[in-house]
Amino acid sequence: MKVGAPAESRPAERRVACVPETVSSLVDAGLTVHVQEGAGRHAHAPDAAYRAAGATVTPEDPTPESDVVVSVQPLTLDQAGLLKPGAITISFLQPANERALLEVYRDRRVTSFSFDLLPRVTRAQSADALSSQALVAGYRAVLVAAERLPRFLPMFTTAAGTVPPAKVLVLGAGVAGLQAIATARRLGAVVEAYDVRKAAGEEVRSLGAKFLELDLETQSGVYASAQSEEFLERQRELIGEHVAQSDVVITTAAIPGRKAPVLVTTDMLKAMAPGSVVVDLAAESGGNYAGSVAGEETWVGEVLVHGALNLPSSMPVHASRLYSRNVLNLLKLMIADGTVAPNLSDEVLDGCCLTHDGQIRKESP
C-alpha cells in the first residue's frame, strides 16, 4: 500500500507529516512512501534524505494515487476530491470547522482520522499530537514574550545595581502551560501559575513555580472541562491582582470544539505595568482575552497582546519530528502484513475516526 505525504498547502504551515526517520519505519512495515518534492524543506528535511530513507520523491502531489494520505493540516477540498474511494487520511481536522470537507470524505467513502479527537487514554499517548504540538507551543510562547518584553527575564547583579527578575503568570497548566512554566524558569523568571484542576498544583510546584490557590471550586479530572459564566466571573475577580503584578502573562486555556474561556479582561491589562506582554495561545479559538486576534499583535494601553497563530509551525524541525512520530504510532495500530486496515473496534481508532464507509461518524469534538 502507498502512503502519500503531500506538501502542506494551507497558509503559513511549515511542518511536514512525515520525516525521513519515520519513512524508514513505514518501509520496514511493508509500505511504500511517496513524498512530494520540497514537502520537508521548512523542517530541513531535504528530498535526498527522503530518498535515502526509502521514499519515492514525486514532483506532483501524491494524494490521487495514495491509499493513505498523511498531513498536518486538513486536505483542501480540491485535494479531497482527488482521493481514491476507500482511501485513508490522517491529520488535524476539527469537524466543527470543516463540514464541507467531511461531506467530500463521506461521498468518496474516505476513512478519515483526526488527532483533534484522539482519546486521551494510555494506549494512545504515543500518538497524541495535540500534546506534542502543545509542548512546542508552550516553549515558543515564552520566547515570543521574552523577545517583546522591554526588560530582562532573569535577575542580574551588576556594579550598577541589581536588576530584579521578571514575573511571569501562566494561566492553564496542561502540556503547553507546563512547558511555558519550565521555559520561563530556565530563563530566570519568577513564575506563578493557575489551573482549575487541583492535581496540576503538584506539577507546577515540581517545576519551581508557585501554584495559585484561589478560593474556587476545583476539578478532579485529568483534563479541564467547561465552566459556568458565574464561575468564570469569580475566577476573573481573583486572578485580576495577579495579572496586574505580572510582567508577562501566558494564557493556554482551550476547550476543543468550543470558544475559549475569557480569563483576562481589558481592565486587568490596563492595571499592568507599561511594556508588559500577554501571549494568548487560545487566540485561534476566540482568545482567553476577548480582544485577541490570531496572528496579530494588539496594544491595550501600553500592554502588548500577542494573538498566537499556529506557534508549532514556527519551530518546524522538532514540531515535524514529534508530529511524524505521532502519525507513525497511529498508523502502527492499523498495519498488519504490509496493509493498512483500521479496525474500528479499537477504542483509539474508533474515537478519532470522523468518516468511514460513506458515513460521517462524528459531527463535533
Side-chain angles (χ1 to χ4, degrees):
M1 295 187 73
K2 182 186 295 185
V3 177
E8 294 291 322
S9 57
R10 301 243 175 167
E13 183 52 71
R14 303 173 72 227
R15 293 169 288 179
V16 63
C18 185
V19 297
E21 295 94 319
T22 55
V23 167
S24 300
S25 297
L26 292 172
V27 171
D28 289 344
L31 305 175
T32 62
V33 181
H34 291 243
V35 179
Q36 187 173 358
E37 282 183 0
R41 65 188 183 281
H42 296 302
H44 298 283
D47 293 340
Y50 283 107
R51 292 190 184 98
T56 299
V57 178
T58 64
E60 305 296 332
D61 183 347
T63 296
E65 294 81 31
S66 297
D67 302 295
V68 181
V69 179
V70 297
S71 62
V72 180
Q73 298 293 339
L75 299 180
T76 65
L77 291 174
D78 288 341
Q79 285 176 307
L82 299 175
L83 285 165
K84 290 181 178 180
I88 296 168
T89 67
I90 298 174
S91 68
F92 284 114
L93 199 169
Q94 293 186 8
N97 300 331
E98 300 285 352
R99 178 68 193 188
L101 182 59
L102 291 183
E103 290 175 353
V104 174
Y105 284 169
R106 176 198 63 199
D107 296 344
R108 298 191 69 79
R109 305 185 76 81
V110 168
T111 299
S112 61
F113 295 94
S114 173
F115 286 113
D116 289 289
L117 303 183
L118 190 81
R120 297 291 183 90
V121 297
T122 301
R123 282 185 60 243
Q125 285 182 348
S126 64
D128 189 353
L130 282 176
S131 291
S132 75
Q133 301 307 292
L135 180 145
V136 181
Y139 172 82
R140 186 65 174 177
V142 176
L143 302 187
V144 168
E147 183 180 12
R148 288 154 177 76
L149 189 69
R151 56 166 298 162
F152 293 127
L153 281 186
M155 179 180 75
F156 286 102
T157 301
T158 74
T162 299
V163 177
K167 296 179 180 178
V168 175
L169 173 63
V170 179
L171 299 178
V175 174
L178 290 172
Q179 187 54 227
I181 292 166
T183 304
R185 288 283 296 140
R186 291 188 195 107
L187 292 177
V190 173
V191 184
E192 293 183 328
Y194 170 73
D195 194 285
V196 69
R197 297 168 299 121
K198 187 176 182 179
E202 183 176 345
E203 295 177 298
V204 168
R205 296 185 192 98
S206 73
L207 295 172
K210 177 183 178 181
F211 184 73
L212 299 182
E213 301 277 3
L214 303 183
D215 184 21
L216 285 169
E217 172 188 350
T218 60
Q219 293 182 8
S220 58
V222 178
Y223 304 102
S225 57
Q227 298 287 347
S228 67
E229 185 55 40
E230 292 77 12
F231 177 93
L232 292 172
E233 182 61 36
R234 176 61 177 159
Q235 186 180 68
R236 287 190 286 266
E237 290 176 7
L238 297 175
I239 287 174
E241 64 178 278
H242 297 281
V243 171
Q245 295 167 5
S246 301
D247 301 296
V248 172
V249 175
I250 296 174
T251 66
T252 72
I255 302 169
R258 300 191 184 187
K259 189 176 185 298
V262 175
L263 305 179
V264 177
T265 66
T266 299
D267 287 342
M268 291 183 200
L269 299 185
K270 289 181 177 178
M272 297 179 75
S276 297
V277 177
V278 175
V279 179
D280 190 349
L281 290 183
E284 292 180 75
S285 57
N288 296 141
Y289 168 61
S292 294
V293 180
E296 297 185 13
E297 294 188 338
T298 307
W299 286 93
V300 179
E302 294 186 73
V303 174
L304 178 66
V305 178
H306 178 90
L309 176 63
N310 195 3
L311 282 189
S313 185
S314 67
M315 303 197 74
V317 171
H318 284 117
S320 296
R321 288 182 184 176
L322 292 170
Y323 182 78
S324 63
R325 294 296 301 186
N326 298 139
V327 170
L328 173 64
N329 290 327
L330 186 62
L331 271 172
K332 283 181 176 179
L333 298 178
M334 312 179 201
I335 298 173
D337 301 322
T339 300
V340 180
N343 179 358
L344 297 186
S345 66
D346 182 314
E347 66 171 329
V348 175
L349 299 180
D350 175 66
C352 63
C353 182
L354 283 171
T355 59
H356 177 69
D357 198 24
Q359 300 292 325
I360 295 177
R361 304 176 75 248
K362 294 178 174 62
E363 298 286 348
S364 62

